[in-house]
Amino acid sequence: YLTHEYREKLKSEKDERTEASRLVRDEAKLLKDAAAAQKKEDDYTALLDMARKEAGLATSDEIDEVNKRVKDLEQQLEDAHDRNERAQAMAEKTKSGYVYIISNIGSFGEGVIKIGMTRRLEPYDRVKELGDASVPFLFDTHAMIYSEDAPALEKTLHSEYDDRRVNAANYRKEFFRVSVDEVEEAVQRLAPEADFFSDIEAQEFHETKAKRKEEADRLDEMAAAEFPTEI
């Protein structure tokens, strides 16, 4: 019993160190992304100023093309500004982030949902990371919800299905036995402005099933040709 408890304590401490290390990496990346977003906005501002000066000096033959370039740069600057504001907010606010809702029927079957949180500026990078070599198939994303208090939203969603955790011994394993429809109802109630996609693409999984069926059919045809049924 004591040996088991000791091993469990070591495992728990290792998990905590791993999670702390991941959070430090995410924080560092947020600061880097914020600096990059600021630079991009500054670059577009300079390009737009230059284009506007060119528009003032353009001839009648050039004006349409120059005005189109100015308009394109104005849109790119607006996008860069929005991204920069989001990056700065996430770097400054320790609670802002994204709550993601994903599934992986190829790896875990239907009726298993993961509800997690990330503070990355590009939250889908976290989903891609989860679908790396540790699982055979990629995850499908049902929702990616930005929140000023992402930990609270994540905790509330977890509490909805606390009695249906796949792993009740380790709460860092955020998988729940719950249907997509049930989670969609909760999201509509708790974050009504969020988009939710109930369809499960599972492209790699379905392609794998199709290939296996084709191979099975081919083997059946070969067997039928080699051993025809006698009438």
Side-chain angles (χ1 to χ4, degrees):
Y1 172 80
L2 290 175
T3 300
H4 171 74
E5 287 293 299
Y6 177 67
R7 287 175 177 171
E8 286 296 306
K9 181 174 175 57
L10 289 179
K11 181 178 179 300
S12 176
E13 290 175 350
K14 181 181 178 181
D15 289 343
E16 288 176 2
R17 288 196 300 271
T18 300
E19 180 65 12
S21 177
R22 185 180 71 80
L23 289 174
V24 168
R25 289 197 305 271
D26 286 352
E27 290 287 343
K29 193 172 187 311
L30 278 174
L31 293 173
K32 183 179 178 181
D33 288 343
Q38 181 64 62
K39 184 179 184 305
K40 197 161 191 176
E41 182 177 356
D42 292 343
D43 289 344
Y44 277 122
T45 300
L47 287 171
L48 182 57
D49 288 343
M50 189 181 302
R52 283 172 174 165
K53 289 177 183 177
E54 290 177 3
L57 301 172
T59 64
S60 57
D61 293 335
E62 299 171 333
I63 193 65
D64 288 342
E65 183 178 346
V66 175
N67 282 339
K68 182 179 182 303
R69 184 161 178 262
V70 168
K71 188 175 181 180
D72 289 343
L73 283 169
E74 285 174 343
Q75 181 60 56
Q76 290 171 326
L77 177 59
E78 184 179 344
D79 294 341
H81 177 70
D82 291 343
R83 179 182 172 85
N84 185 25
E85 282 195 332
R86 185 158 52 94
Q88 300 300 332
M90 292 183 68
E92 294 170 4
K93 298 176 183 177
T94 58
K95 291 186 177 182
S96 64
Y98 292 87
V99 173
Y100 57 82
I101 298 169
I102 58 180
S103 67
N104 192 328
I105 63 171
S107 302
F108 307 111
E110 294 186 8
V112 175
I113 301 291
K114 177 172 173 61
I115 303 172
M117 187 199 80
T118 180
R119 294 195 62 240
R120 298 185 186 183
L121 185 59
E122 296 295 342
Y124 288 97
D125 287 348
R126 176 58 176 158
V127 179
K128 291 177 184 176
E129 182 181 89
L130 291 168
D132 65 8
S134 61
V135 290
F137 298 101
L138 298 174
F139 281 89
D140 285 304
T141 303
H142 299 289
M144 186 65 72
I145 311 166
Y146 176 75
S147 173
E148 295 290 340
D149 194 347
L153 177 58
E154 180 195 37
K155 184 177 180 181
T156 301
L157 282 167
H158 284 181
S159 66
E160 295 265 328
Y161 317 109
D162 200 49
D163 59 335
R164 285 184 274 176
R165 285 181 177 271
V166 174
N167 186 339
N170 186 345
Y171 274 33
R172 292 189 183 87
K173 308 295 184 181
E174 303 157 327
F175 290 89
F176 303 84
R177 294 197 182 280
V178 57
S179 71
V180 173
D181 292 340
E182 287 180 90
V183 180
E184 182 177 12
E185 185 277 326
V187 169
Q188 289 176 347
R189 183 163 29 88
L190 298 169
E193 296 181 359
D195 293 326
F196 194 97
F197 304 94
S198 56
D199 292 339
I200 299 173
E201 185 178 8
Q203 181 179 345
E204 290 182 341
F205 173 61
H206 290 305
E207 286 178 358
T208 300
K209 285 180 66 178
K211 286 180 179 179
R212 286 179 177 165
K213 186 177 184 306
E214 287 175 8
E215 181 64 16
D217 291 344
R218 187 181 67 82
L219 292 175
D220 288 343
E221 289 174 5
M222 289 175 60
E226 188 174 353
F227 305 103
T229 302
E230 295 184 2
I231 300 176

PDB file of all heavy atoms in Angstrom, residues 97-128:
ATOM      1  N   GLY A  97      -8.542  33.574 -22.359  1.00  0.00           N
ATOM      2  CA  GLY A  97      -8.076  32.429 -23.128  1.00  0.00           C
ATOM      3  C   GLY A  97      -9.222  31.777 -23.874  1.00  0.00           C
ATOM      4  O   GLY A  97     -10.294  32.372 -24.044  1.00  0.00           O
ATOM      5  N   TYR A  98      -9.000  30.571 -24.302  1.00  0.00           N
ATOM      6  CA  TYR A  98      -9.995  29.832 -25.081  1.00  0.00           C
ATOM      7  C   TYR A  98     -10.343  28.514 -24.391  1.00  0.00           C
ATOM      8  O   TYR A  98      -9.461  27.812 -23.891  1.00  0.00           O
ATOM      9  CB  TYR A  98      -9.460  29.507 -26.471  1.00  0.00           C
ATOM     10  CG  TYR A  98      -9.262  30.713 -27.360  1.00  0.00           C
ATOM     11  CD1 TYR A  98      -8.064  31.426 -27.330  1.00  0.00           C
ATOM     12  CD2 TYR A  98     -10.270  31.140 -28.218  1.00  0.00           C
ATOM     13  CE1 TYR A  98      -7.875  32.535 -28.149  1.00  0.00           C
ATOM     14  CE2 TYR A  98     -10.083  32.242 -29.042  1.00  0.00           C
ATOM     15  CZ  TYR A  98      -8.891  32.931 -29.000  1.00  0.00           C
ATOM     16  OH  TYR A  98      -8.708  34.023 -29.807  1.00  0.00           O
ATOM     17  N   VAL A  99     -11.609  28.205 -24.388  1.00  0.00           N
ATOM     18  CA  VAL A  99     -12.069  26.876 -23.958  1.00  0.00           C
ATOM     19  C   VAL A  99     -12.417  26.106 -25.222  1.00  0.00           C
ATOM     20  O   VAL A  99     -13.193  26.574 -26.050  1.00  0.00           O
ATOM     21  CB  VAL A  99     -13.302  26.983 -23.035  1.00  0.00           C
ATOM     22  CG1 VAL A  99     -13.860  25.585 -22.738  1.00  0.00           C
ATOM     23  CG2 VAL A  99     -12.930  27.680 -21.736  1.00  0.00           C
ATOM     24  N   TYR A 100     -11.791  24.954 -25.377  1.00  0.00           N
ATOM     25  CA  TYR A 100     -12.036  24.155 -26.584  1.00  0.00           C
ATOM     26  C   TYR A 100     -12.824  22.893 -26.239  1.00  0.00           C
ATOM     27  O   TYR A 100     -12.679  22.324 -25.148  1.00  0.00           O
ATOM     28  CB  TYR A 100     -10.726  23.801 -27.293  1.00  0.00           C
ATOM     29  CG  TYR A 100      -9.718  23.057 -26.441  1.00  0.00           C
ATOM     30  CD1 TYR A 100      -9.795  21.682 -26.254  1.00  0.00           C
ATOM     31  CD2 TYR A 100      -8.678  23.744 -25.821  1.00  0.00           C
ATOM     32  CE1 TYR A 100      -8.862  21.012 -25.475  1.00  0.00           C
ATOM     33  CE2 TYR A 100      -7.735  23.089 -25.044  1.00  0.00           C
ATOM     34  CZ  TYR A 100      -7.842  21.720 -24.876  1.00  0.00           C
ATOM     35  OH  TYR A 100      -6.927  21.058 -24.097  1.00  0.00           O
ATOM     36  N   ILE A 101     -13.660  22.494 -27.168  1.00  0.00           N
ATOM     37  CA  ILE A 101     -14.460  21.264 -27.026  1.00  0.00           C
ATOM     38  C   ILE A 101     -14.173  20.410 -28.247  1.00  0.00           C
ATOM     39  O   ILE A 101     -14.478  20.810 -29.375  1.00  0.00           O
ATOM     40  CB  ILE A 101     -15.954  21.602 -26.914  1.00  0.00           C
ATOM     41  CG1 ILE A 101     -16.203  22.438 -25.662  1.00  0.00           C
ATOM     42  CG2 ILE A 101     -16.794  20.318 -26.878  1.00  0.00           C
ATOM     43  CD1 ILE A 101     -17.583  23.046 -25.583  1.00  0.00           C
ATOM     44  N   ILE A 102     -13.571  19.250 -28.034  1.00  0.00           N
ATOM     45  CA  ILE A 102     -13.110  18.421 -29.140  1.00  0.00           C
ATOM     46  C   ILE A 102     -13.486  16.956 -28.911  1.00  0.00           C
ATOM     47  O   ILE A 102     -13.797  16.552 -27.787  1.00  0.00           O
ATOM     48  CB  ILE A 102     -11.588  18.547 -29.333  1.00  0.00           C
ATOM     49  CG1 ILE A 102     -10.839  18.160 -28.052  1.00  0.00           C
ATOM     50  CG2 ILE A 102     -11.214  19.958 -29.754  1.00  0.00           C
ATOM     51  CD1 ILE A 102      -9.320  18.252 -28.164  1.00  0.00           C
ATOM     52  N   SER A 103     -13.454  16.194 -29.989  1.00  0.00           N
ATOM     53  CA  SER A 103     -13.714  14.751 -29.881  1.00  0.00           C
ATOM     54  C   SER A 103     -12.801  14.022 -30.853  1.00  0.00           C
ATOM     55  O   SER A 103     -12.207  14.628 -31.759  1.00  0.00           O
ATOM     56  CB  SER A 103     -15.182  14.430 -30.187  1.00  0.00           C
ATOM     57  OG  SER A 103     -15.488  14.700 -31.544  1.00  0.00           O
ATOM     58  N   ASN A 104     -12.709  12.706 -30.677  1.00  0.00           N
ATOM     59  CA  ASN A 104     -11.827  11.889 -31.514  1.00  0.00           C
ATOM     60  C   ASN A 104     -12.403  10.485 -31.558  1.00  0.00           C
ATOM     61  O   ASN A 104     -11.993   9.604 -30.804  1.00  0.00           O
ATOM     62  CB  ASN A 104     -10.414  11.893 -30.925  1.00  0.00           C
ATOM     63  CG  ASN A 104      -9.382  11.319 -31.870  1.00  0.00           C
ATOM     64  OD1 ASN A 104      -9.680  10.425 -32.658  1.00  0.00           O
ATOM     65  ND2 ASN A 104      -8.166  11.824 -31.792  1.00  0.00           N
ATOM     66  N   ILE A 105     -13.388  10.271 -32.447  1.00  0.00           N
ATOM     67  CA  ILE A 105     -14.079   8.976 -32.444  1.00  0.00           C
ATOM     68  C   ILE A 105     -13.166   7.847 -32.905  1.00  0.00           C
ATOM     69  O   ILE A 105     -13.366   6.694 -32.533  1.00  0.00           O
ATOM     70  CB  ILE A 105     -15.361   9.010 -33.294  1.00  0.00           C
ATOM     71  CG1 ILE A 105     -15.046   9.285 -34.766  1.00  0.00           C
ATOM     72  CG2 ILE A 105     -16.340  10.033 -32.755  1.00  0.00           C
ATOM     73  CD1 ILE A 105     -16.253   9.119 -35.666  1.00  0.00           C
ATOM     74  N   GLY A 106     -12.158   8.176 -33.719  1.00  0.00           N
ATOM     75  CA  GLY A 106     -11.225   7.136 -34.153  1.00  0.00           C
ATOM     76  C   GLY A 106     -10.381   6.609 -33.022  1.00  0.00           C
ATOM     77  O   GLY A 106     -10.013   5.431 -33.001  1.00  0.00           O
ATOM     78  N   SER A 107     -10.071   7.470 -32.048  1.00  0.00           N
ATOM     79  CA  SER A 107      -9.215   7.077 -30.928  1.00  0.00           C
ATOM     80  C   SER A 107     -10.002   6.632 -29.702  1.00  0.00           C
ATOM     81  O   SER A 107      -9.585   5.713 -28.994  1.00  0.00           O
ATOM     82  CB  SER A 107      -8.308   8.250 -30.531  1.00  0.00           C
ATOM     83  OG  SER A 107      -7.516   8.667 -31.612  1.00  0.00           O
ATOM     84  N   PHE A 108     -11.145   7.284 -29.430  1.00  0.00           N
ATOM     85  CA  PHE A 108     -11.872   7.018 -28.189  1.00  0.00           C
ATOM     86  C   PHE A 108     -13.308   6.539 -28.398  1.00  0.00           C
ATOM     87  O   PHE A 108     -13.995   6.237 -27.427  1.00  0.00           O
ATOM     88  CB  PHE A 108     -11.892   8.283 -27.323  1.00  0.00           C
ATOM     89  CG  PHE A 108     -10.539   8.871 -27.081  1.00  0.00           C
ATOM     90  CD1 PHE A 108     -10.180  10.089 -27.650  1.00  0.00           C
ATOM     91  CD2 PHE A 108      -9.598   8.203 -26.312  1.00  0.00           C
ATOM     92  CE1 PHE A 108      -8.924  10.633 -27.453  1.00  0.00           C
ATOM     93  CE2 PHE A 108      -8.340   8.742 -26.107  1.00  0.00           C
ATOM     94  CZ  PHE A 108      -7.994   9.959 -26.679  1.00  0.00           C
ATOM     95  N   GLY A 109     -13.767   6.509 -29.641  1.00  0.00           N
ATOM     96  CA  GLY A 109     -15.138   6.109 -29.905  1.00  0.00           C
ATOM     97  C   GLY A 109     -16.104   7.274 -29.762  1.00  0.00           C
ATOM     98  O   GLY A 109     -15.718   8.386 -29.381  1.00  0.00           O
ATOM     99  N   GLU A 110     -17.363   7.025 -30.080  1.00  0.00           N
ATOM    100  CA  GLU A 110     -18.369   8.076 -29.982  1.00  0.00           C
ATOM    101  C   GLU A 110     -18.783   8.288 -28.524  1.00  0.00           C
ATOM    102  O   GLU A 110     -18.676   7.387 -27.696  1.00  0.00           O
ATOM    103  CB  GLU A 110     -19.594   7.704 -30.819  1.00  0.00           C
ATOM    104  CG  GLU A 110     -19.299   7.655 -32.314  1.00  0.00           C
ATOM    105  CD  GLU A 110     -20.550   7.423 -33.135  1.00  0.00           C
ATOM    106  OE1 GLU A 110     -21.648   7.448 -32.544  1.00  0.00           O
ATOM    107  OE2 GLU A 110     -20.422   7.220 -34.353  1.00  0.00           O
ATOM    108  N   GLY A 111     -19.275   9.482 -28.221  1.00  0.00           N
ATOM    109  CA  GLY A 111     -19.755   9.773 -26.874  1.00  0.00           C
ATOM    110  C   GLY A 111     -18.666  10.105 -25.888  1.00  0.00           C
ATOM    111  O   GLY A 111     -18.888  10.065 -24.674  1.00  0.00           O
ATOM    112  N   VAL A 112     -17.450  10.448 -26.381  1.00  0.00           N
ATOM    113  CA  VAL A 112     -16.361  10.887 -25.488  1.00  0.00           C
ATOM    114  C   VAL A 112     -15.908  12.263 -25.959  1.00  0.00           C
ATOM    115  O   VAL A 112     -15.504  12.437 -27.106  1.00  0.00           O
ATOM    116  CB  VAL A 112     -15.175   9.910 -25.507  1.00  0.00           C
ATOM    117  CG1 VAL A 112     -14.023  10.465 -24.663  1.00  0.00           C
ATOM    118  CG2 VAL A 112     -15.596   8.548 -24.974  1.00  0.00           C
ATOM    119  N   ILE A 113     -15.989  13.246 -25.064  1.00  0.00           N
ATOM    120  CA  ILE A 113     -15.672  14.636 -25.382  1.00  0.00           C
ATOM    121  C   ILE A 113     -14.561  15.123 -24.454  1.00  0.00           C
ATOM    122  O   ILE A 113     -14.568  14.823 -23.256  1.00  0.00           O
ATOM    123  CB  ILE A 113     -16.911  15.539 -25.193  1.00  0.00           C
ATOM    124  CG1 ILE A 113     -18.063  15.089 -26.094  1.00  0.00           C
ATOM    125  CG2 ILE A 113     -16.556  16.996 -25.449  1.00  0.00           C
ATOM    126  CD1 ILE A 113     -17.848  15.315 -27.569  1.00  0.00           C
ATOM    127  N   LYS A 114     -13.629  15.891 -25.019  1.00  0.00           N
ATOM    128  CA  LYS A 114     -12.603  16.540 -24.186  1.00  0.00           C
ATOM    129  C   LYS A 114     -12.925  18.030 -24.109  1.00  0.00           C
ATOM    130  O   LYS A 114     -13.157  18.673 -25.134  1.00  0.00           O
ATOM    131  CB  LYS A 114     -11.206  16.344 -24.775  1.00  0.00           C
ATOM    132  CG  LYS A 114     -10.113  17.067 -23.978  1.00  0.00           C
ATOM    133  CD  LYS A 114      -8.730  16.701 -24.466  1.00  0.00           C
ATOM    134  CE  LYS A 114      -7.652  17.548 -23.797  1.00  0.00           C
ATOM    135  NZ  LYS A 114      -7.607  17.395 -22.332  1.00  0.00           N
ATOM    136  N   ILE A 115     -12.932  18.560 -22.896  1.00  0.00           N
ATOM    137  CA  ILE A 115     -13.173  19.990 -22.671  1.00  0.00           C
ATOM    138  C   ILE A 115     -11.940  20.551 -21.967  1.00  0.00           C
ATOM    139  O   ILE A 115     -11.665  20.223 -20.813  1.00  0.00           O
ATOM    140  CB  ILE A 115     -14.421  20.217 -21.799  1.00  0.00           C
ATOM    141  CG1 ILE A 115     -15.650  19.567 -22.443  1.00  0.00           C
ATOM    142  CG2 ILE A 115     -14.653  21.711 -21.585  1.00  0.00           C
ATOM    143  CD1 ILE A 115     -16.887  19.575 -21.559  1.00  0.00           C
ATOM    144  N   GLY A 116     -11.191  21.370 -22.673  1.00  0.00           N
ATOM    145  CA  GLY A 116      -9.953  21.908 -22.113  1.00  0.00           C
ATOM    146  C   GLY A 116      -9.839  23.399 -22.320  1.00  0.00           C
ATOM    147  O   GLY A 116     -10.749  24.048 -22.838  1.00  0.00           O
ATOM    148  N   MET A 117      -8.692  23.949 -21.922  1.00  0.00           N
ATOM    149  CA  MET A 117      -8.475  25.388 -22.021  1.00  0.00           C
ATOM    150  C   MET A 117      -7.056  25.662 -22.492  1.00  0.00           C
ATOM    151  O   MET A 117      -6.132  24.918 -22.175  1.00  0.00           O
ATOM    152  CB  MET A 117      -8.683  26.036 -20.653  1.00  0.00           C
ATOM    153  CG  MET A 117      -8.647  27.553 -20.667  1.00  0.00           C
ATOM    154  SD  MET A 117      -8.339  28.239 -19.008  1.00  0.00           S
ATOM    155  CE  MET A 117      -6.567  28.049 -18.897  1.00  0.00           C
ATOM    156  N   THR A 118      -6.899  26.718 -23.292  1.00  0.00           N
ATOM    157  CA  THR A 118      -5.567  27.144 -23.712  1.00  0.00           C
ATOM    158  C   THR A 118      -5.512  28.656 -23.739  1.00  0.00           C
ATOM    159  O   THR A 118      -6.526  29.314 -23.993  1.00  0.00           O
ATOM    160  CB  THR A 118      -5.209  26.581 -25.107  1.00  0.00           C
ATOM    161  OG1 THR A 118      -3.897  27.029 -25.465  1.00  0.00           O
ATOM    162  CG2 THR A 118      -6.199  27.045 -26.172  1.00  0.00           C
ATOM    163  N   ARG A 119      -4.346  29.216 -23.465  1.00  0.00           N
ATOM    164  CA  ARG A 119      -4.166  30.661 -23.516  1.00  0.00           C
ATOM    165  C   ARG A 119      -3.332  31.056 -24.726  1.00  0.00           C
ATOM    166  O   ARG A 119      -2.869  32.194 -24.830  1.00  0.00           O
ATOM    167  CB  ARG A 119      -3.511  31.160 -22.225  1.00  0.00           C
ATOM    168  CG  ARG A 119      -4.384  30.977 -20.993  1.00  0.00           C
ATOM    169  CD  ARG A 119      -3.874  31.785 -19.815  1.00  0.00           C
ATOM    170  NE  ARG A 119      -3.905  33.201 -20.099  1.00  0.00           N
ATOM    171  CZ  ARG A 119      -2.825  33.993 -20.100  1.00  0.00           C
ATOM    172  NH1 ARG A 119      -1.639  33.489 -19.845  1.00  0.00           N
ATOM    173  NH2 ARG A 119      -2.928  35.269 -20.370  1.00  0.00           N
ATOM    174  N   ARG A 120      -3.161  30.148 -25.657  1.00  0.00           N
ATOM    175  CA  ARG A 120      -2.371  30.474 -26.843  1.00  0.00           C
ATOM    176  C   ARG A 120      -3.142  31.433 -27.746  1.00  0.00           C
ATOM    177  O   ARG A 120      -4.363  31.336 -27.868  1.00  0.00           O
ATOM    178  CB  ARG A 120      -2.028  29.203 -27.610  1.00  0.00           C
ATOM    179  CG  ARG A 120      -1.176  28.238 -26.803  1.00  0.00           C
ATOM    180  CD  ARG A 120      -0.754  27.068 -27.629  1.00  0.00           C
ATOM    181  NE  ARG A 120      -0.066  26.079 -26.813  1.00  0.00           N
ATOM    182  CZ  ARG A 120       0.471  24.964 -27.285  1.00  0.00           C
ATOM    183  NH1 ARG A 120       0.389  24.697 -28.574  1.00  0.00           N
ATOM    184  NH2 ARG A 120       1.077  24.119 -26.482  1.00  0.00           N
ATOM    185  N   LEU A 121      -2.403  32.310 -28.412  1.00  0.00           N
ATOM    186  CA  LEU A 121      -3.027  33.252 -29.338  1.00  0.00           C
ATOM    187  C   LEU A 121      -3.631  32.491 -30.516  1.00  0.00           C
ATOM    188  O   LEU A 121      -4.663  32.882 -31.060  1.00  0.00           O
ATOM    189  CB  LEU A 121      -2.000  34.270 -29.828  1.00  0.00           C
ATOM    190  CG  LEU A 121      -2.525  35.392 -30.722  1.00  0.00           C
ATOM    191  CD1 LEU A 121      -3.590  36.201 -30.001  1.00  0.00           C
ATOM    192  CD2 LEU A 121      -1.391  36.300 -31.181  1.00  0.00           C
ATOM    193  N   GLU A 122      -2.978  31.406 -30.921  1.00  0.00           N
ATOM    194  CA  GLU A 122      -3.508  30.524 -31.960  1.00  0.00           C
ATOM    195  C   GLU A 122      -3.989  29.239 -31.281  1.00  0.00           C
ATOM    196  O   GLU A 122      -3.235  28.269 -31.173  1.00  0.00           O
ATOM    197  CB  GLU A 122      -2.436  30.214 -33.019  1.00  0.00           C
ATOM    198  CG  GLU A 122      -1.964  31.422 -33.798  1.00  0.00           C
ATOM    199  CD  GLU A 122      -3.074  32.027 -34.653  1.00  0.00           C
ATOM    200  OE1 GLU A 122      -4.084  31.330 -34.904  1.00  0.00           O
ATOM    201  OE2 GLU A 122      -2.945  33.199 -35.053  1.00  0.00           O
ATOM    202  N   PRO A 123      -5.213  29.212 -30.784  1.00  0.00           N
ATOM    203  CA  PRO A 123      -5.667  28.094 -29.950  1.00  0.00           C
ATOM    204  C   PRO A 123      -5.702  26.751 -30.679  1.00  0.00           C
ATOM    205  O   PRO A 123      -5.576  25.705 -30.051  1.00  0.00           O
ATOM    206  CB  PRO A 123      -7.069  28.524 -29.519  1.00  0.00           C
ATOM    207  CG  PRO A 123      -7.503  29.500 -30.566  1.00  0.00           C
ATOM    208  CD  PRO A 123      -6.264  30.225 -30.978  1.00  0.00           C
ATOM    209  N   TYR A 124      -5.859  26.788 -31.999  1.00  0.00           N
ATOM    210  CA  TYR A 124      -5.918  25.523 -32.733  1.00  0.00           C
ATOM    211  C   TYR A 124      -4.569  24.801 -32.732  1.00  0.00           C
ATOM    212  O   TYR A 124      -4.514  23.602 -33.017  1.00  0.00           O
ATOM    213  CB  TYR A 124      -6.410  25.760 -34.163  1.00  0.00           C
ATOM    214  CG  TYR A 124      -7.877  26.098 -34.210  1.00  0.00           C
ATOM    215  CD1 TYR A 124      -8.302  27.417 -34.272  1.00  0.00           C
ATOM    216  CD2 TYR A 124      -8.853  25.099 -34.155  1.00  0.00           C
ATOM    217  CE1 TYR A 124      -9.656  27.744 -34.285  1.00  0.00           C
ATOM    218  CE2 TYR A 124     -10.209  25.411 -34.169  1.00  0.00           C
ATOM    219  CZ  TYR A 124     -10.597  26.740 -34.242  1.00  0.00           C
ATOM    220  OH  TYR A 124     -11.925  27.045 -34.254  1.00  0.00           O
ATOM    221  N   ASP A 125      -3.499  25.523 -32.413  1.00  0.00           N
ATOM    222  CA  ASP A 125      -2.198  24.867 -32.269  1.00  0.00           C
ATOM    223  C   ASP A 125      -2.242  23.848 -31.142  1.00  0.00           C
ATOM    224  O   ASP A 125      -1.589  22.797 -31.212  1.00  0.00           O
ATOM    225  CB  ASP A 125      -1.098  25.899 -31.984  1.00  0.00           C
ATOM    226  CG  ASP A 125      -0.758  26.733 -33.213  1.00  0.00           C
ATOM    227  OD1 ASP A 125      -1.208  26.366 -34.314  1.00  0.00           O
ATOM    228  OD2 ASP A 125      -0.053  27.749 -33.063  1.00  0.00           O
ATOM    229  N   ARG A 126      -3.000  24.160 -30.092  1.00  0.00           N
ATOM    230  CA  ARG A 126      -3.127  23.231 -28.960  1.00  0.00           C
ATOM    231  C   ARG A 126      -3.881  21.975 -29.388  1.00  0.00           C
ATOM    232  O   ARG A 126      -3.509  20.854 -29.007  1.00  0.00           O
ATOM    233  CB  ARG A 126      -3.869  23.927 -27.801  1.00  0.00           C
ATOM    234  CG  ARG A 126      -4.161  23.032 -26.595  1.00  0.00           C
ATOM    235  CD  ARG A 126      -2.914  22.431 -26.010  1.00  0.00           C
ATOM    236  NE  ARG A 126      -3.199  21.657 -24.809  1.00  0.00           N
ATOM    237  CZ  ARG A 126      -2.403  20.703 -24.327  1.00  0.00           C
ATOM    238  NH1 ARG A 126      -1.266  20.405 -24.937  1.00  0.00           N
ATOM    239  NH2 ARG A 126      -2.739  20.046 -23.229  1.00  0.00           N
ATOM    240  N   VAL A 127      -4.912  22.138 -30.213  1.00  0.00           N
ATOM    241  CA  VAL A 127      -5.673  20.982 -30.697  1.00  0.00           C
ATOM    242  C   VAL A 127      -4.787  20.098 -31.579  1.00  0.00           C
ATOM    243  O   VAL A 127      -4.811  18.863 -31.479  1.00  0.00           O
ATOM    244  CB  VAL A 127      -6.918  21.442 -31.475  1.00  0.00           C
ATOM    245  CG1 VAL A 127      -7.698  20.241 -32.005  1.00  0.00           C
ATOM    246  CG2 VAL A 127      -7.822  22.293 -30.577  1.00  0.00           C
ATOM    247  N   LYS A 128      -4.000  20.735 -32.439  1.00  0.00           N
ATOM    248  CA  LYS A 128      -3.074  19.974 -33.285  1.00  0.00           C
ATOM    249  C   LYS A 128      -2.064  19.224 -32.435  1.00  0.00           C
ATOM    250  O   LYS A 128      -1.704  18.086 -32.731  1.00  0.00           O
ATOM    251  CB  LYS A 128      -2.350  20.913 -34.247  1.00  0.00           C
ATOM    252  CG  LYS A 128      -3.239  21.509 -35.323  1.00  0.00           C
ATOM    253  CD  LYS A 128      -2.457  22.495 -36.188  1.00  0.00           C
ATOM    254  CE  LYS A 128      -3.363  23.162 -37.207  1.00  0.00           C
ATOM    255  NZ  LYS A 128      -2.641  24.195 -37.992  1.00  0.00           N
TER     256      LYS A 128
END
